[in-house]
Amino acid sequence: MEAGIAAKIMVYLRLSLAIISLIAVYLMFKFPTVEAGLRINAVLSITNPLILLLINLVGVTGLAGKVPLSKLVMILLGAVFIVIGTSK
């Protein structure tokens, strides 16, 4: 994948993550109960790490021709470990 295309995809994925978070904020204001807040946060705890991993995957594929395979694997493993380490 060309680096410029990968960068644009990463930008759009990050933008979609921000929009999802803003929608969650709106829903929390609209339904101001603890139960609704927990449900909304549960959905965010699933979607956010998946999108972040996807962003990293796109970035790694954009670097595929420039970085050795062993370093690409270490970058991907690092992203996976970050998600695992920060999950509840």
Side-chain angles (χ1 to χ4, degrees):
M1 179 182 296
E2 185 181 319
I5 294 172
K8 285 182 181 179
I9 292 171
M10 291 172 69
V11 167
Y12 290 127
L13 285 171
R14 177 60 70 176
L15 181 62
S16 67
L17 187 61
I19 290 169
I20 290 169
S21 294
L22 288 174
I23 291 170
V25 169
Y26 169 75
L27 290 173
M28 288 177 145
F29 275 124
K30 186 171 176 147
F31 305 105
T33 64
V34 174
E35 294 83 8
L38 284 174
R39 286 188 200 114
I40 293 166
N41 278 330
V43 171
L44 286 178
S45 70
I46 294 169
T47 57
N48 286 354
L50 293 176
I51 294 175
L52 289 174
L53 277 176
L54 188 59
I55 291 169
N56 284 327
L57 182 65
V58 169
V60 167
T61 57
L63 292 174
K66 301 173 186 170
V67 178
L69 181 62
S70 61
K71 288 189 177 185
L72 289 176
V73 170
M74 289 192 324
I75 292 169
L76 272 176
L77 282 174
V80 170
F81 287 146
I82 288 170
V83 171
I84 291 171
T86 57
S87 64
K88 294 179 182 180

